[in-house]
Amino acid sequence: MAPTFRDLLAATKKSIREITVDELKRQLDSSAPLKLIDVRETEEFGAGRLPGAISVPRGFLELKIEEKAKRDEALILYCAGGVRSALAARSLAELGYTNVQSLAGGYNRWHDAAYPTETPFVLTAEQKERYRRHLSIPEVGEEGQAKLLKAKVLLMGAGGLGSPAALYLAAAGVGTIGIVDMDVVDLSNLQRQVIHTQERRGMAKTASAAEAIAALNPDVKVVPFQERLTSGNIDRIFDGFDLILDGGDNFPTRYLINDACVKHRKPNIHGSIYRFEGQVTTFIPYQGPCYRCLYPQPPPPDMAPSCAEAGVLGVLPGIVGLFQTNEALKLILKLGEPLNGRLLTLDALGSTFRTLKLRRDPACPVCRDGAKIEYIDYEQFCAA
């Protein structure tokens, strides 16, 4: 007589290891190195999961497990009642995974024991289609896309650098984008500030950028600050944002942004452009240098003209702004190596890049150990 499903399940449970909910709770409380794999369907996972669990539905387990776990990792599989996870554990053992256990009783028994659960961020069907190319990257996937949708990035300016950054942050699905700019769209902006259009001349740049972002990706919330950044409002404006993308074009604003970023321990992704040259770096407070370590004193005003005075090749802000955007995405996703302690310089005419090492100044008035950060008169500081 052919074996029944009960026979198959009984044989499976004899061939695998199971862990009780009480044992698993003790291991989690002790921070034991293990990875929780939820093999339920996406809808079940979205209703609640064990804290930190990764979703790999049973139907895709063999196909996707190599992206999620190594063969020697300690894996705890669970489903609703312990059946699917038991069969999944046997399948993984056959694939060469050596340290796999199934949670006896599954999520239901864990929930009945009143142990902690959490509601994960689950992408809608439309979001899965929109971000499909991200979801196909193992290092990003749904978890990474969820991080992007929860992230809050503040752009200092909707000009040459802020325009491409805003568009590509929005396209990537960064959920909240703040924009600080008190200017209005002018015809001379359109040579490089690609987020604006001729029809929106005279409109506030924050409103113009918000309109473009809404047309590109309705997932994104735009928080406009139609005001000049000052020592009096910077703490309020910075509040709630994860990182700052500095697209300013004057030294007083750059020093103010730097000091506030160090004060609030927020990463500062700096970019600047001049005619055919650009540079990008990322300042992570107390993990590397800050802007004052790079420029302890501002250059004389006649040695640092603005884009309006010196001019800039129209495509250059796009290149530099996209490098800034790339830095922001890396920080949000915790991937790769940010330009912390490194300055990337670009010569557009020679199509050459150089990377210079930057060091933290132990005597820096802002980021040295024990320094007290107080905002100053930055206009006077830069004019002295």
Side-chain angles (χ1 to χ4, degrees):
M1 180 180 294
T4 65
F5 176 75
R6 288 181 178 275
D7 296 331
L8 174 64
L9 181 60
T12 296
K13 291 205 170 190
K14 287 182 180 179
S15 67
I16 66 168
R17 291 186 297 150
E18 288 190 300
I19 184 172
T20 68
V21 294
D22 295 331
E23 291 171 334
L24 177 58
K25 180 65 166 57
R26 285 194 293 271
Q27 290 193 30
L28 292 176
D29 288 343
S30 66
S31 300
L34 57 85
K35 182 173 288 184
L36 296 171
I37 306 290
D38 188 319
V39 300
R40 298 175 298 163
E41 297 302 311
T42 302
E43 294 76 13
E44 298 174 276
F45 179 77
R49 67 175 178 183
L50 273 65
I54 299 170
S55 175
V56 188
R58 178 67 189 91
F60 297 93
L61 183 70
E62 291 83 0
L63 179 65
K64 294 190 174 183
I65 190 62
E66 292 182 3
E67 301 173 3
K68 305 293 185 179
K70 299 177 182 178
R71 281 180 166 76
D72 59 351
E73 277 189 283
L75 305 180
I76 307 295
L77 311 184
Y78 73 88
C79 59
V83 174
R84 285 171 288 178
S85 60
L87 297 171
R90 187 182 71 174
S91 180
L92 291 191
E94 293 172 352
L95 288 175
Y97 288 81
T98 58
N99 193 358
V100 182
Q101 297 181 79
S102 172
L103 180 62
Y107 180 85
N108 293 339
R109 190 169 296 173
W110 178 274
H111 186 271
D112 291 343
Y115 287 147
T117 61
E118 60 187 19
T119 303
F121 186 98
V122 178
L123 301 180
T124 65
E126 183 176 336
Q127 287 173 329
K128 288 180 179 180
E129 178 62 22
R130 176 182 291 273
Y131 306 118
R132 187 193 300 178
R133 299 301 186 273
H134 274 174
L135 305 187
S136 299
I137 304 173
E139 293 83 357
V140 181
E142 290 197 28
E143 289 184 43
Q145 190 61 54
K147 290 179 182 178
L148 291 172
L149 287 163
K150 293 176 183 177
K152 298 180 179 181
V153 176
L154 181 64
L155 302 182
M156 305 308 303
L161 299 175
S163 288
L167 289 172
Y168 273 88
L169 288 171
V174 170
T176 301
I177 299 176
I179 304 175
V180 184
D181 202 311
M182 63 175 293
D183 205 357
V184 298
V185 179
D186 181 82
L187 184 60
S188 66
N189 300 147
L190 304 183
Q191 168 251 13
R192 65 204 175 280
Q193 299 180 19
V194 294
I195 202 168
H196 309 300
T197 66
Q198 183 157 319
E199 290 73 20
R200 296 202 289 270
R201 283 184 295 169
M203 182 186 292
K205 286 186 178 179
T206 53
S208 173
E211 187 174 310
I213 290 171
L216 176 64
N217 189 349
D219 284 342
V220 180
K221 175 185 177 182
V222 176
V223 182
F225 297 94
Q226 179 69 19
E227 53 190 299
R228 178 174 175 269
L229 192 70
T230 68
S231 300
N233 64 17
I234 193 167
D235 291 338
R236 168 178 58 83
I237 290 174
F238 272 28
D239 185 45
F241 289 95
D242 304 316
L243 57 90
I244 314 302
L245 197 148
D246 177 11
D249 64 352
N250 65 84
F251 280 91
T253 300
R254 290 168 183 164
Y255 282 107
L256 172 60
I257 291 170
N258 174 79
D259 294 359
C261 282
V262 176
K263 176 182 177 181
H264 294 287
R265 294 178 178 266
K266 296 181 185 289
N268 173 13
I269 303 174
H270 167 74
S272 61
I273 50 177
Y274 175 76
R275 292 184 176 172
F276 305 104
E277 301 171 358
Q279 60 183 30
V280 185
T281 188
T282 295
F283 301 115
I284 302 180
Y286 305 107
Q287 295 183 29
C290 73
Y291 187 75
R292 284 182 180 264
C293 298
L294 177 59
Y295 295 111
Q297 297 293 330
D302 60 336
M303 295 294 292
S306 67
C307 288
E309 298 167 320
V312 63
L313 187 67
V315 71
L316 182 64
I319 299 171
V320 173
L322 291 184
F323 268 104
Q324 290 179 278
T325 307
N326 186 54
E327 287 295 292
L329 297 181
K330 289 192 298 182
L331 290 177
I332 295 167
L333 295 170
K334 294 181 171 55
L335 293 176
E337 296 183 13
L339 288 170
N340 186 31
R342 296 182 293 152
L343 179 70
L344 180 69
T345 66
L346 160 66
D347 175 1
L349 292 183
S351 296
T352 56
F353 292 87
R354 294 180 62 197
T355 303
L356 309 176
K357 289 187 177 180
L358 304 179
R359 300 187 184 279
R360 186 178 172 191
D361 182 0
C364 175
V366 171
C367 75
R368 73 172 186 270
D369 295 337
K372 183 179 180 181
I373 300 172
E374 295 181 345
Y375 301 140
I376 61 174
D377 185 332
Y378 294 92
E379 296 285 350
Q380 182 179 0
F381 172 69
C382 291

